[in-house]
Amino acid sequence: MARSTRLERQVPHVVDGRERMVRETYTVPAPPRDWDQIVLNAVTVIAVIVLAASVAWTTASVGDLLGHAVLAAIAYGAASAFDLVWIGCMAVEWLARYEPAQARTPQVAGIVALLLSMTAVAVHGWWLLHSPAVGLIGAGVSLLAKGLWTVVLRHTARPLDDRTRQWFELELGELNVELGALPLKRRAARGRALLAAEQQALGVTLSDGVSDTPVTVVTTPVPPAVPAAPVAAVSSVNALPTPVPTAPSATPAQPP
């Protein structure tokens, strides 16, 4: 028997010459099952379960290791960061899947964080439990979780050809310029609004302290300077002072 789906629609209905829109239920054949999407959903659920197990295992192992140095609450809180860091880096890498240059940094950071997490779990089993097998197998849980999520995310990503990818990079570059300037424009607009409010409240221009009332400036024209008369050259002889004759002394000379 073919599968069917019941839907609703609005249809006109007339009673006593007055028309109203009423709901009507009708049946249509159901579309075939999308097994690709069903399988992808199932794999995503499995990946989520594996990821949760990885976080729990890493937190328990590293928390037990750090618990010998600090309080248990602090130790387990810090231990949870080992897996959460590479999970966050993996999420950012997926967001930048169409920008290889942007995705490179979270990709490298995620690998480094994963190696640190695996090392911490291995040290817990090898050194604290004296069981190399527990340490190595426990470290592999995080590796399996990241590997499965990498497969799922790469499957969901839709690859673009090189020319289309370059076009979108240029388009996003222009948008990033506008988005980057938006906070600066907002700050400038806020500053102008604050300045205008202060000027209106104080009645002065904050930049120079002058009143906003227009001031009429009267400029008096300055007459041109009169050139000085030429001065005749004076010889060096005439420039010397003329000696003034002195009168003889009136006191007679004393006899010898």
Side-chain angles (χ1 to χ4, degrees):
M1 181 178 180
R3 298 170 56 249
S4 60
T5 302
R6 296 173 62 86
L7 302 175
E8 289 186 355
R9 60 187 174 186
Q10 295 285 331
V11 296
H13 183 66
V14 180
V15 176
D16 294 335
R18 302 178 64 181
E19 181 178 316
R20 294 286 186 271
M21 300 298 293
V22 298
R23 292 191 303 272
E24 180 186 58
T25 304
Y26 64 102
T27 303
V28 296
R33 296 183 184 274
D34 188 356
W35 287 105
D36 292 344
Q37 188 62 40
I38 293 174
V39 172
L40 181 59
N41 292 339
V43 173
T44 304
V45 171
I46 295 173
V48 171
I49 295 174
V50 173
L51 185 64
S54 172
V55 173
W57 178 264
T58 302
T59 303
S61 300
V62 182
D64 187 25
L65 181 64
L66 298 179
H68 289 75
V70 294
L71 296 176
I74 301 176
Y76 285 96
S80 64
F82 280 83
D83 267 5
L84 293 180
V85 170
W86 66 258
I87 292 173
C89 292
M90 186 174 57
V92 176
E93 179 186 353
W94 184 78
L95 292 176
R97 60 192 180 278
Y98 297 122
E99 300 173 272
Q102 296 290 334
R104 183 62 180 170
T105 299
Q107 183 181 22
V108 174
I111 294 175
V112 173
L114 175 64
L115 294 177
L116 291 176
S117 176
M118 295 175 61
T119 302
V121 174
V123 168
H124 171 262
W126 201 306
W127 176 74
L128 191 61
L129 301 181
H130 306 287
S131 176
V134 173
L136 294 177
I137 295 174
V141 176
S142 297
L143 182 62
L144 291 175
K146 181 174 176 57
L148 181 57
W149 269 107
T150 301
V151 172
V152 173
L153 295 180
R154 288 189 178 181
H155 176 77
T156 56
R158 299 292 181 264
L160 300 176
D161 62 273
D162 185 63
R163 298 181 64 178
T164 303
R165 181 182 55 79
Q166 293 183 39
W167 186 91
F168 275 108
E169 286 182 355
L170 295 175
E171 187 74 9
L172 291 176
E174 295 179 0
L175 293 176
N176 289 335
V177 171
E178 298 180 7
L179 293 176
L182 185 60
L184 300 178
K185 293 180 179 179
R186 187 185 299 116
R187 185 184 303 176
R190 188 183 299 111
R192 292 192 187 97
L194 179 60
L195 180 62
E198 291 288 343
Q199 290 177 351
Q200 184 177 4
L202 302 177
V204 297
T205 303
L206 298 181
S207 59
D208 52 11
V210 181
S211 173
D212 290 340
T213 305
V215 179
T216 303
V217 179
V218 179
T219 304
T220 304
V222 179
V226 179
V231 180
V234 181
S235 62
S236 60
V237 177
N238 294 333
L240 297 176
T242 303
V244 178
T246 58
S249 175
T251 305
Q254 298 293 331

